[in-house]
Each structure stands twice: as C-alpha cells, then as structure tokens.
C-alpha cells in the first residue's frame, strides 16, 4: 500500500512540476507547437466566410442586406449605429464566446453588431496567416458593398459604421491596407484594434492607408500572453503588445491613429471575459467605441508626450 501511495505522490509531483513549467514557460511551450501556415490557402471557398449577428443568425457573406434587415428598428426610428466585428484566431469564433462579445459591443455602443466570420483556424499547430490574407480580399468586397448601401433610402443611409478588429484581425487589416482598396473617405467612423496580432515594425506604412476610416484606435497590452507567443514565434515585436522594437528602439507611429496602453498587470487578450475586466478599461473601450476621439479626455486616460499615446489609469489599472 505504501508503495502505491509513494507512486501516486511521485506522479503528482511530476505532474505539478510539468504544470508549473508550462505555466512559467507558456510562450515557449506553445511556440514549439504552433507554426505559421505555409501551404497556400487554396481550400478556402466562399462558404468559408459569412456574416453573423449578435443573436446568432447567420448569413452568406454576400447577403449584407439580409443581415441588416434582420435587426429590429429602434423605438424612435432613429438609425442605430452599426459595428462590424472582425474576430481573431480561434476554432469557434461564431460560437458562445463570439456571440457574447458581440452582445457586449452592442451594449457599449448602443448599436447593431455584425461579425465578419472568416476561417481563422486550421489546427492546433498551424497559425492561419495565409487565411488572413484571403480574408482581407473578402473584407474589401464587404466594405465596397457597405459603401454602395450608404445612399439615400438605402440600409446604411445615416447609419454610422464602426469596426472592432480583435487580435489576428490586425493581420487581416494589414493585408487589406497594403492592397490599397478604393474605398470612400468617411465610410467608417472609427476602427478599434483590440490588441492587434501583427508586426509592430512598419505598421505605420499600412495603417496610414486606411483612409476610409475617420479615426483609428489601437489598444496595446504589454502583458498579453497570446502576443508573447507570437513575439517569440516571429522574433518580432507585435503591435498589440508594445510600441518598442525588440532592440529597444521606438517604432514610428501612425499619424492617423491613437494608441491606448493598457495596464500590464494581468491577462487581457480578451476584453469582455469574466476575470479579465476592469472598470477603467470597460468604460474607456465603450466610450471610444461610441464617441471616438472626444473620449480621449476620459478621466481614466493619461496623455503621454507623444501626443497620440494614452495610458490607462484608474480602477483595475497598475498603480491605481
């Protein structure tokens, strides 16, 4: 009996040690498993993409008008803002978590929300960077359709449009901008990049091509564990994690963007998950989503000398 107990103790100790190693070396362990996609994304079909509303209704990517028609009109008939949510890496973006996130965005902006659903998952071992490029091509077509629907009497007439791009959506928009699409100025009121997973070096070049958006905001979290993984994977600083390159040099910032530095004290790759929220970040994100640059005067934001860089202060922030 003692031998059995000793054996169990040894097994538990080994499991605990292995778990501790993984916990403290999370990025190294995941990087050993996860590699960037190398094969061409040739198996993607139009059915791989779609539109999803916050109540779980699904539409073909070409049926934007159908998705817009599914929303209940506001009580006073006033056109409600529209948020286009572009998700990041993951196997089930339109599942329970995605729908919950869209619901939170709808509350924060008092808006209707549509997800641009793209194939952001291949397997546990492949990071879908080529799928992101394919997604950018479809997203351009969707934005062109939005531009067509802005005319008088059409579904997007007088409806302000905002975009929230989470994590690997940063890579989608990098490709989109580099394609230099012919989209009209003012098509989108603002784009919010939530901890964007894309390279920091050179981001100014593509971000300043997003001229169809009146305002751009980039939320940066130095302690983001997901971006720690990609930092190691690519050996390149990631835009959603830092504004400083790996050699310590400052990276030129986009003049058409404002950068919001979150508190580097906890896991915040997701903004709306229980245990990853803070009063300050909740309020700032919702305020910027709804009101744009005027929200930069929020009491929870401290401007930095750079002029377009702001640091979160207040409840839930470091040093508060």
């Amino acid at each position: 009996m003692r031998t059995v107990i000793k054996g169990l103790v040894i097994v538990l100790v080994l499991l605990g040690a292995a778990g501790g190693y993984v916990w403290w070396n999370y990025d190294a362990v995941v990087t050993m498993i996860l590699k960037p996609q190398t094969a061409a994304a040739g198996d993607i079909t139009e059915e791989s993409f779609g539109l999803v509303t916050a109540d779980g209704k699904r539409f073909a990517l070409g049926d934007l008008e159908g998705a817009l028609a599914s929303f209940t009109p506001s009580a006073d008939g006033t056109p409600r803002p529209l948020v286009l949510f572009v998700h990041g890496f993951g196997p089930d973006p339109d599942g329970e978590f995605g729908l919950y996130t869209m619901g939170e965005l709808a509350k924060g902006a008092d808006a209707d929300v549509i997800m641009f659903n793209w194939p952001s998952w291949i397997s546990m071992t492949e990071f879908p960077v080529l799928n992101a490029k394919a997604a950018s091509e479809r997203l351009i077509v969707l934005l062109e359709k939005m531009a067509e629907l802005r005319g008088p009497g059409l579904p997007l007439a007088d409806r302000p449009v905002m975009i929230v791009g989470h994590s690997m959506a940063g890579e989608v928009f990098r490709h989109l901008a580099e394609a230099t699409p012919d989209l009209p100025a003012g098509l989108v009121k603002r784009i919010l990049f939530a901890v964007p997973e894309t390279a920091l070096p050179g981001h100014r070049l593509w971000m300043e091509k997003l001229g169809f958006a009146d305002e751009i905001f980039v939320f940066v979290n130095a302690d983001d564990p997901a971006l720690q993984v990609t930092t190691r994977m690519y050996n390149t600083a990631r835009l959603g994690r830092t504004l400083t390159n790996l050699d310590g040099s400052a990276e030129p910032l986009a003049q058409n963007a404002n950068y919001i530095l979150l508190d580097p004290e906890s896991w915040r790759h997701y903004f709306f998950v229980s245990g990853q929220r803070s009063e300050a970040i909740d309020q700032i994100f919702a305020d910027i989503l709804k009101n744009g640059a005027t929200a930069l005067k929020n009491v929870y934001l401290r401007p930095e000398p750079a002029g377009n860089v702001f640091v979160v202060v207040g409840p839930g922030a470091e040093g508060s």
Side-chain angles (χ1 to χ4, degrees), residues 53-188:
T53 55
D55 58 0
K57 294 186 179 74
R58 289 163 173 77
F59 300 84
L61 187 58
D63 191 18
L64 175 60
E65 291 174 273
L68 293 172
S70 73
F71 294 118
T72 303
S74 61
D76 61 0
T78 304
R80 194 180 285 119
L82 178 71
V83 174
L84 177 64
F85 175 52
V86 184
H87 62 78
F89 177 58
D92 191 25
D94 58 341
E96 182 177 352
F97 172 71
L99 297 180
Y100 172 75
T101 299
M102 286 195 287
E104 293 297 291
L105 292 174
K107 288 191 292 186
D110 189 22
D112 295 325
V113 182
I114 292 178
M115 173 192 287
F116 170 72
N117 193 9
W118 62 281
S120 60
W121 180 261
I122 300 172
S123 69
M124 286 290 294
T125 61
E126 287 187 271
F127 200 55
V129 288
L130 297 180
N131 287 11
K133 185 176 188 303
S136 73
E137 297 165 358
R138 274 71 172 190
L139 183 54
I140 289 172
V141 174
L142 178 64
L143 292 172
E144 289 172 341
K145 182 63 177 179
M146 285 186 165
E148 292 175 8
L149 296 179
R150 292 199 307 166
L154 296 177
L156 288 180
D158 303 319
R159 290 190 75 168
V161 176
M162 286 87 77
I163 294 176
V164 173
H166 176 242
S167 191
M168 202 174 173
E171 191 71 1
V172 175
F173 278 91
R174 177 180 73 83
H175 287 296
L176 182 151
E178 289 175 348
T180 318
D182 185 20
L183 296 168
L187 172 62
V188 172

Side-chain angles (χ1 to χ4, degrees), residues 52-317:
V52 184
T53 55
D55 58 0
K57 294 186 179 74
R58 289 163 173 77
F59 300 84
L61 187 58
D63 191 18
L64 175 60
E65 291 174 273
L68 293 172
S70 73
F71 294 118
T72 303
S74 61
D76 61 0
T78 304
R80 194 180 285 119
L82 178 71
V83 174
L84 177 64
F85 175 52
V86 184
H87 62 78
F89 177 58
D92 191 25
D94 58 341
E96 182 177 352
F97 172 71
L99 297 180
Y100 172 75
T101 299
M102 286 195 287
E104 293 297 291
L105 292 174
K107 288 191 292 186
D110 189 22
D112 295 325
V113 182
I114 292 178
M115 173 192 287
F116 170 72
N117 193 9
W118 62 281
S120 60
W121 180 261
I122 300 172
S123 69
M124 286 290 294
T125 61
E126 287 187 271
F127 200 55
V129 288
L130 297 180
N131 287 11
K133 185 176 188 303
S136 73
E137 297 165 358
R138 274 71 172 190
L139 183 54
I140 289 172
V141 174
L142 178 64
L143 292 172
E144 289 172 341
K145 182 63 177 179
M146 285 186 165
E148 292 175 8
L149 296 179
R150 292 199 307 166
L154 296 177
L156 288 180
D158 303 319
R159 290 190 75 168
V161 176
M162 286 87 77
I163 294 176
V164 173
H166 176 242
S167 191
M168 202 174 173
E171 191 71 1
V172 175
F173 278 91
R174 177 180 73 83
H175 287 296
L176 182 151
E178 289 175 348
T180 318
D182 185 20
L183 296 168
L187 172 62
V188 172
K189 295 289 289 183
R190 63 194 62 97
I191 301 175
L192 277 65
F193 289 115
V195 289
E197 167 27 46
T198 191
L200 172 70
H203 79 275
R204 174 180 180 175
L205 297 177
W206 63 262
M207 192 167 284
E208 291 185 349
K209 293 180 180 179
L210 299 176
F212 62 89
D214 291 339
E215 300 174 316
I216 297 174
F217 302 87
V218 183
F219 288 78
V220 179
N221 179 16
D223 201 35
D224 189 303
L227 302 193
Q228 289 177 18
V229 170
T230 51
T231 299
R232 183 182 287 260
M233 181 191 302
Y234 292 108
N235 194 32
T236 305
R238 314 314 288 171
L239 174 59
R241 188 180 177 209
T242 179
L243 302 182
T244 304
N245 288 300
L246 296 186
D247 63 2
S249 62
E251 178 66 23
L253 303 181
Q255 296 304 298
N256 61 335
N258 289 290
Y259 299 80
I260 314 297
L261 307 185
L262 305 183
D263 47 282
E265 65 171 13
S266 63
W267 179 305
R268 281 207 181 90
H269 186 66
Y270 301 104
F271 286 71
F272 304 114
V273 178
S274 177
Q276 296 187 41
R277 305 185 74 149
S278 82
E279 179 183 332
I281 293 173
D282 274 6
Q283 185 180 124
I284 289 165
F285 197 93
D287 197 4
I288 289 176
L289 180 59
K290 191 171 184 178
N291 300 308
T294 59
L296 296 175
K297 296 179 180 179
N298 192 295
V299 295
Y300 291 148
L301 286 176
R302 182 187 72 224
E304 293 289 277
N308 61 340
V309 178
F310 300 80
V311 177
V312 174
V313 296

